[in-house]
Structure formats: structure tokens, C-alpha cells
Amino acid sequence: IFTSFNPGSGKSHLASNIGMSLAIKDKKVIVIDGDLRHGSTSQLVGSPSQGLSDYLNGRTDDIEGIVCHGEKHGLAKGLDILPIGTIPPNPTELLFTDRLATLINHLKAEYDYVFIDCPPIEIVADTQIIEKLADRTIFVIRTGLMERSMLPDMEALYKEKKFKNMSYVLNGTKAQGGRYGSYYRYGYGYGYGYGY
């Protein structure tokens, strides 16, 4: 799974770009948009009306029918996207169904890599539910976005093994000198749709 503390850390961007890099190397990769409230990854394939939420609530059993093939959307061959589909009124409830585990086990048998783009952990409980089915957690920290005061919280998450095989990615750093000195900005709006 890919997650973060803060909205705007770039986790969706990283999940899709790492997926694309692996697909270019002839790996079969699927990125699941597990952020059932926001759907940034779904936008890569035009945010179709059917997807993960429709499978989880039983409106469809056709897994292959809701998977979008990247090459049809200008992405790398071998990179597939499972969009959220219908934005549900009860995302957290949907994630508690056995259908999520069934889906992920099916996709693990079909793909070399299964990435799940999850919401930030401080906003909703969804990521903790999905994480139970994951093998590794990639935690994205964006330079200039996360407060230094949160570093002890990060360390506690790691030491207490709250997430499996937790790794950190520091995103949005400024390169010092050299020809790769440009600073990349990535916009991400999370200003709606989350209840506290």
C-alpha cells in the first residue's frame, strides 16, 4: 500500500509512476485506487463509472470488466488501473467485506505487483483496514508539508510495527546542483468528502 500522514504528499503520483517503471521492465502491475472518497488514481483512466466500490458492494462480480488497461489510456503496456467506480456513501463499511480479500488474492495471482493507493492515515480508518491484506507499506512524506513535530509519531509507527514492512519515501526534495536541479510540484486537493 501507499499512504501518508498528509494529503498532498504525492502518494498517488508515486504509486502510478513506480507502477509504470515496473511495467516498462515487462512486469505486470495493477494500481488499485483504494481511496474511495477521492479517486486521484482513477483520474488516470477517466474515472469510469464502475470499479472497486461496485465490486465490493456486489453490483458486479466481473473483476476483469472493471480493470482498465493502461495502454488504452496512454499509460504503459502492462500497467492496469482498478478505479473506484461509483463513489460510495459508506466506504469504510465496504472495505470490511470479505470481497476485498477475495479481490486482492485474485489479483495477486494475476499480477507481479499489486499496488493500493490508500488515503492518508490520519483522515479515515480505511488504510488500517486495507493494510491487513498488504505485504508492505510505502509511507510517503513530502518535504515542507509534514510538521517536524510529527517525526516522533512516524518513529512510533515504525517501531511499533503498526504497518507491515514499513518504508519511507521522501518526496518533493530540491536537488542541489547538477542537471536534475528542477523542483517538481504536485498539486493535490483533499478539501472535501472526509468526515472526522
Side-chain angles (χ1 to χ4, degrees):
I1 65 168
F2 285 77
T3 191
S4 62
F5 260 134
N6 308 94
S9 297
K11 61 183 180 49
S12 304
H13 184 73
L14 279 168
S16 57
N17 275 285
I18 293 170
M20 190 139 5
S21 299
L22 291 165
I24 289 168
K25 295 181 176 289
D26 295 323
K27 298 296 182 186
K28 204 171 169 199
V29 184
I30 188 164
V31 181
I32 301 170
D33 196 340
D35 190 342
L36 294 173
R37 294 168 172 84
H38 196 265
S40 291
T41 299
S42 299
Q43 293 172 18
L44 293 173
V45 291
S47 300
S49 60
Q50 274 210 319
L52 175 62
S53 69
D54 302 280
Y55 175 81
L56 293 179
N57 70 18
R59 279 199 295 267
T60 184
D61 290 317
D62 180 13
I63 295 171
E64 303 310 318
I66 57 174
V67 169
C68 298
H69 301 290
E71 60 189 310
K72 292 181 181 174
H73 297 272
L75 305 172
K77 182 181 179 183
L79 173 65
D80 291 345
I81 306 288
L82 178 52
I84 58 173
T86 307
I87 294 179
N90 57 341
T92 306
E93 282 178 43
L94 282 183
L95 295 172
F96 274 116
T97 68
D98 293 338
R99 290 175 73 87
L100 181 61
T102 302
L103 173 72
I104 290 175
N105 288 332
H106 172 82
L107 295 174
K108 279 182 173 181
E110 298 286 320
Y111 291 89
D112 298 310
Y113 294 94
V114 177
F115 293 163
I116 308 172
D117 177 20
C118 293
I121 63 167
E122 293 291 285
I123 295 178
V124 289
D126 300 8
T127 301
Q128 284 85 346
I129 298 165
I130 297 170
E131 186 271 341
K132 291 175 173 41
L133 302 169
D135 300 312
R136 172 171 298 280
T137 301
I138 298 175
F139 209 98
V140 182
I141 302 167
R142 185 167 191 84
T143 303
L145 183 62
M146 195 177 94
E147 300 289 331
R148 283 183 187 263
S149 61
M150 296 177 85
L151 289 174
D153 295 334
M154 294 291 302
E155 187 177 11
L157 286 174
Y158 182 80
K159 284 185 172 175
E160 294 167 17
K161 300 185 184 329
K162 296 263 180 169
F163 295 92
K164 286 188 215 84
N165 298 312
M166 190 169 164
S167 303
Y168 296 114
V169 172
L170 184 60
N171 191 21
T173 60
K174 281 189 182 181
Q176 299 296 317
R179 59 188 184 131
Y180 297 104
S182 62
Y183 183 57
Y184 183 72
R185 290 190 169 274
Y186 182 66
Y188 194 86
Y190 245 96
Y192 65 92
Y194 284 96
Y196 291 93

